[in-house]
């Protein structure tokens, strides 16, 4: 992957005056210039929507949000880049209960937002995984890790919960700093039941960060929790098939997910 730094035109557009230096994470495409963080915008409509919403959400004692920087022309995107004020803190994926609590508060603040139209146009491996999980695309039987997807699909039952805008990748995108509420950053937007986003974070904690099985039970009072866990697992697993279809490398292995799949199926 070519990790291109922001040009002088990009820096000037957002009022960034210092030399850009690469930041860890963000697939190597995130840069800092002084107190401004810059990264490629991806889908422009999504980047602009997230920035506009994030500029209006109020911080509370339970969470805060990263704040976007407008370009000189007032837009949220310039030359294919977006910018955010540097957010104090650092992520800690092992503070899963705190991440989940911050995510729940964040989603409460988003309730009532209309479904953004860019979701219909977005086409990437993660969107593919989401659509497989929610039966908007069919399983064909030859997908990467089909042996895990098929029993999960058989265990699906109808879910009758209201959908809303949610953060689809919470666990690594909540920042912690002393004496500050957790900060939600880098928001990939989905329109699903709010507790589904929590289920994704639980699945990630179990699969990649050594969370105990008891984490599943601690959040099990959410409606349709087991069904949301099934869909969270399918989302993550099917994203690998989305990567294959997009010509991207598939780095994950079925063995990483198998214990979590067995745990959820047993429930």
């Amino acid at each position: 992957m070519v990790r291109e730094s922001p040009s002088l035109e990009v820096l000037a557009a957002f009022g960034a005056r210092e030399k850009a230096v690469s930041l860890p994470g963000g697939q190597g495409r995130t840069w800092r210039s002084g107190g401004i963080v810059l990264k490629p915008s991806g889908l422009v409509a999504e980047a602009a929507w997230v920035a506009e919403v994030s500029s209006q959400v109020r911080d509370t004692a339970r969470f805060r949000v990263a704040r976007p920087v407008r370009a000189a022309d007032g837009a949220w995107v310039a030359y294919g880049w977006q910018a955010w004020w540097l957010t104090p803190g650092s992520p800690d994926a092992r503070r899963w209960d705190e991440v989940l609590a911050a995510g729940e508060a964040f989603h409460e603040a988003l309730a009532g937002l209309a479904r953004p139209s860019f979701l219909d146009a977005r086409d990437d491996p993660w969107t593919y995984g989401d659509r497989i999980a929610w039966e908007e695309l069919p399983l064909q039987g030859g997908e990467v890790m089909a042996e895990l997807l098929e029993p999960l699909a058989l265990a699906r039952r109808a879910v009758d919960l209201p959908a809303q805008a949610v953060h689809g990748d919470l666990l690594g995108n909540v920042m912690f700093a002393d004496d500050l509420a957790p900060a939600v950053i880098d928001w990939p937007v989905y329109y699903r039941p709010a507790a589904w986003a929590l289920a994704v974070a639980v699945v990630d904690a179990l699969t990649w960060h050594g969370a105990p099985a008891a984490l599943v039970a601690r959040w099990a009072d959410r409606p349709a929790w087991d069904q949301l866990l099934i869909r969270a697992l399918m989302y993550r697993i099917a994203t690998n098939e989305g990567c294959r279809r997009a010509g991207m490398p598939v780095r994950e292995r079925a063995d990483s997910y198998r214990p979590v799949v067995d745990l959820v199926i047993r429930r």
Side-chain angles (χ1 to χ4, degrees):
M1 179 185 295
V2 177
R3 296 180 172 91
E4 180 182 358
S5 63
S7 66
L8 293 177
E9 289 82 4
V10 170
L11 295 175
F14 290 107
R17 295 179 174 83
E18 299 183 22
K19 180 181 178 181
V21 295
S22 180
L23 290 176
Q27 299 180 345
R29 302 190 302 160
T30 303
W31 301 77
R32 175 182 176 181
S33 171
I36 296 176
V37 174
L38 303 107
K39 61 181 181 179
S41 64
L43 186 64
V44 171
E46 180 172 13
W49 188 93
V50 168
E52 183 64 31
V53 172
S54 298
S55 73
Q56 298 178 36
V57 173
R58 293 184 178 181
D59 292 348
T60 74
R62 299 167 65 196
F63 78 95
R64 56 195 163 103
V65 296
R67 299 297 179 182
V69 179
R70 287 190 187 273
D73 64 358
W76 293 119
V77 176
Y79 303 104
W81 287 74
Q82 58 185 312
W84 299 78
W85 295 112
L86 184 67
T87 304
S90 57
D92 185 345
R94 292 185 62 85
R95 296 171 69 169
W96 37 71
D97 282 305
E98 293 167 89
V99 169
L100 290 163
E104 190 164 59
F106 176 66
H107 292 137
E108 288 172 5
L110 302 178
L113 290 176
R115 183 181 184 275
S117 59
F118 64 76
L119 291 174
D120 295 325
R122 192 171 66 188
D123 184 16
D124 58 37
W126 297 269
T127 301
Y128 174 86
D130 170 66
R131 290 171 178 160
I132 286 288
W134 288 93
E135 300 182 81
E136 294 171 2
L137 288 174
L139 285 175
Q140 303 293 332
E143 292 86 0
V144 174
M145 303 189 206
E147 72 277 16
L148 298 181
L149 289 169
E150 290 171 357
L152 288 167
L154 289 172
R156 281 184 301 197
R157 302 293 182 266
V159 171
D160 184 17
L161 294 172
Q164 67 162 84
V166 298
H167 191 304
D169 192 21
L170 279 170
L171 193 62
N173 290 305
V174 174
M175 307 266 282
F176 296 94
D178 291 344
D179 301 321
L180 293 173
V184 180
I185 65 169
D186 288 351
W187 177 14
V189 182
Y190 294 85
Y191 201 77
R192 300 300 181 193
W196 171 80
L198 305 184
V200 172
V202 168
V203 162
D204 290 348
L206 292 166
T207 305
W208 306 115
H209 299 284
L215 181 64
V216 174
R218 284 206 294 272
W219 292 82
D221 60 342
R222 277 63 186 172
W225 181 241
D226 290 342
Q227 287 298 315
L228 297 178
L229 286 169
I230 288 170
R231 286 160 174 79
L233 269 169
M234 293 190 71
Y235 160 59
R236 284 307 198 202
I237 294 169
T239 291
N240 291 283
E241 171 65 12
C243 287
R244 186 190 69 80
R245 293 180 178 223
M248 298 167 61
V250 177
R251 297 188 174 95
E252 295 180 355
R253 299 173 53 206
D255 287 347
S256 300
Y257 285 103
R258 197 176 308 279
V260 189
V261 171
D262 291 343
L263 171 65
V264 170
I265 291 293
R266 284 198 304 270
R267 289 178 60 86

